[in-house]
Amino acid sequence: MEAIDALISVLHPYDTLSEDERARVVRSFARSQLPEGAMIYTRGQILDGLYIVENGAVEITDANGALVSLLERGNSFGERGLLADGRAVTTARMARTGTVLLLPAAEFRRLIAESPDFARFFERGGRERSGRGGPDVATLKISDILTRSPVTTEPTTPIREAARIMREAKISSLGITDPDGRLLGLVTIRDMSNRVVAEGLDLQAPVSTIMTSDPVTLPPDALGSDVLHAMIERSIGHLPVIEAGRLVGMVTQTDLTRLQAISTSVLIHDVAGAETVEQMAEVTARIPDLLVSLVAGHQRHEVVTRLITDIADAVTRRLLAMAQDKLGPAPAAWLWAACGSQGRQDQTGVSDQDNVLILSDEANPDDPWFAELARFVSDGLNTCGYVYCPGDMMATNPRWGQPRRVWRKYFADWIANPSPEAQMLASVMFDLRAIGGDASLLAGLQSETLAMASANSIFVAHMISNSLKHQPPLGLIRGFATIRSGQHQGHIDMKMNGVVPVADLARVYALKGQLTPVNTRARLEAAEAAGVISGSGARDLIAAYDLIQTLRLQNQAHLVRAGRKPDNYLSPADLADFERSHLRDAFVVVRTMQSALGQGRGVLG
């Protein structure tokens, strides 16, 4: 028992248990000494409980016998099956002689029910509250409100130099600290006006002569309501944030106003009222702040991406209206449709543009009206931060501004002759979503294409093969396959190796089931409801997708708060141990589903 206690006392989440509770858990474990090659459990077998490697090594394989993980001391396995129907979803075998510990299933479930930390660790993809727009500032923690590191200076700094620091940093308050970072006082723009300019003080005097000593402070875990109350009660506009005696941030009235003003409804209202493209660009420049506030408010990832995509839709429609005002009536019916992340309604803080024009069969695609419409809108989107598609998948490309009959022929040719280019183009175009114009031009085309594609087994096979090209970044020994060189060395591309593999799988499921949703998560849910994918497979894949997208958005929000542009590159080293463990588990689920699809067992595995 002492050896077991020594092991789990340093493992999360067991290290969160009280001493008495941990002692009970330790007594519940059973130990088995097993030789190399011994089978611990096989896929589909009822699990006796949760396993932990005490020493030796255990290999985990999927339904096709492919190696998923090689586990060593401290790694646990079996939780996925226990949290589903109690049956193993993988096979576990001793790769090297050693011992494994078994926590009985009943004890595991008791801990899940009674320990929030235990439940959070093992239950991947927890569902957060949903909502429209920005978060409630009053309920946010100060640590979620802070947007930059504090700017400070020493008490002996001359007043003139302190004013220069504030001007160059574009801040309204300056922390006065000692060499250890402990807060001594605070100087604001108001102090510069009332205590320096109005009184005619010597600008070479130390800034300590005008600072407010021992100002009101709050800790990072205080709530926004605490900030509001303190500011109202004391008539102050700046509040230092102190942790362990050191200044870690500054919250201002401007910060609170900015958060309260940043919501989807406000941004869309401002877009709709914009008179110029430049005014719209000023609105879309606030999207990173919206991303930060939504993530801070613990909105679900599909809510965050939908709200951000709603703004892109509003910008596109406003540009279409502005173009029509400039060009006059259209010569024939048309539809502007988005594909890519906008089409799937999963845009984040970084997006390019992917769009097409579908014209009525009566339209002349060479009419300059359509080319001018496409150029105006595409240029406007680029100005607003939705940069030109590097693959030229835009309505400005004559190939993607054609009558409906041509689009029908495109899809028929891609399906009949599934070359690599045809597979790529079909994958993109299956994600089309109507944005502005005559939506009926797409509706019938989509249903026809789905029926045609799903009936062609060769095309479906090629689409399945195409969906397996993007692999999750899994390393062999409980790690990740990170980028090996260049600017993003040591990072994971959370889009191409995280989100895209799931989006590709969901597209195949939608194709096989002739399902009309375009959003990835909605496709997975529809595939489960239609029986295209098993309930357990759907739940695992949705949970994996939820975690991947959530960590992707949290990382983007972190970059924005650090003053950097958001991107899709995440360093596993920046994650806590339990986040790394769950992220890898999520990638394992994705690879397992890819393997099932590739082995021809369909999507019911």
Side-chain angles (χ1 to χ4, degrees), residues 22-71:
R22 193 172 75 245
R24 169 178 170 165
V25 173
V26 166
R27 291 193 297 270
S28 300
F29 275 102
R31 177 189 280 117
S32 297
Q33 176 80 26
L34 298 172
E36 181 178 334
M39 196 66 68
I40 301 171
Y41 59 72
T42 58
R43 186 175 183 271
Q45 178 182 329
I46 295 292
L47 291 163
D48 294 324
L50 178 74
Y51 294 86
I52 299 178
V53 181
E54 186 174 24
N55 54 63
V58 173
E59 66 175 26
I60 306 295
T61 54
D62 64 16
N64 303 300
L67 184 62
V68 171
S69 295
L70 185 65
L71 310 180

Side-chain angles (χ1 to χ4, degrees), residues 165-178:
I165 293 172
M166 294 173 69
R167 182 190 64 188
E168 293 186 357
K170 298 179 180 179
I171 55 176
S172 57
S173 59
L174 183 67
I176 312 302
T177 59
D178 66 13

Side-chain angles (χ1 to χ4, degrees), residues 364-376:
N364 175 9
D366 295 326
D367 190 309
W369 192 95
F370 297 112
E372 291 178 31
L373 174 79
R375 175 53 58 194
F376 183 92

Side-chain angles (χ1 to χ4, degrees), residues 408-533:
R408 185 185 288 110
K409 186 177 184 300
Y410 283 164
F411 279 105
D413 288 346
W414 295 335
I415 293 167
N417 305 289
S419 65
E421 183 192 31
Q423 296 168 40
M424 182 274 291
L425 292 174
S427 295
V428 172
M429 297 306 175
F430 276 133
D431 294 349
L432 284 174
R433 183 172 60 86
I435 303 298
D438 186 351
S440 67
L441 292 173
L442 176 61
L445 181 65
Q446 183 185 45
S447 58
E448 290 174 17
T449 302
L450 282 172
M452 189 190 318
S454 61
N456 188 318
S457 59
I458 295 177
F459 176 75
V460 172
H462 279 279
M463 287 294 288
I464 290 174
S465 175
N466 188 63
S467 73
L468 306 179
K469 290 181 178 179
H470 296 99
Q471 294 287 321
L474 288 170
L476 181 60
I477 304 180
R478 204 66 182 172
F480 299 93
T482 58
I483 297 170
R484 294 184 178 181
S485 61
Q487 178 184 357
H488 302 296
Q489 182 177 359
H491 289 68
I492 295 168
D493 187 335
M494 292 291 283
K495 178 181 178 181
M496 298 307 298
N497 299 112
V499 172
V500 169
V502 183
D504 288 345
L505 286 171
R507 189 180 299 112
V508 172
Y509 301 155
L511 174 61
K512 291 175 72 71
Q514 298 185 43
L515 307 172
T516 56
V518 176
N519 175 263
T520 296
R521 200 175 193 280
R523 278 173 165 168
L524 296 177
E525 292 173 340
E528 179 186 10
V532 177
I533 181 174

Side-chain angles (χ1 to χ4, degrees), residues 27 43 103 122 154 175 254 263-264 269 280 288 292 334 349 378 405 416 442 493 500 504 513 536 564 580:
R27 291 193 297 270
R43 186 175 183 271
L103 181 67
F122 285 105
E154 297 178 352
T254 303
S263 70
T264 313
H269 174 272
M280 271 191 288
V292 170
W334 55 271
S378 183
R405 65 178 182 276
L442 176 61
D493 187 335
V500 169
D504 288 345
S536 61
R564 297 164 56 188
R580 282 198 299 273

Side-chain angles (χ1 to χ4, degrees), residues 183-199:
L183 183 67
L184 301 176
L186 178 68
V187 171
T188 68
I189 289 291
R190 181 182 295 179
D191 295 328
M192 289 290 181
S193 173
N194 294 345
R195 299 180 181 179
V196 179
V197 178
E199 299 296 330

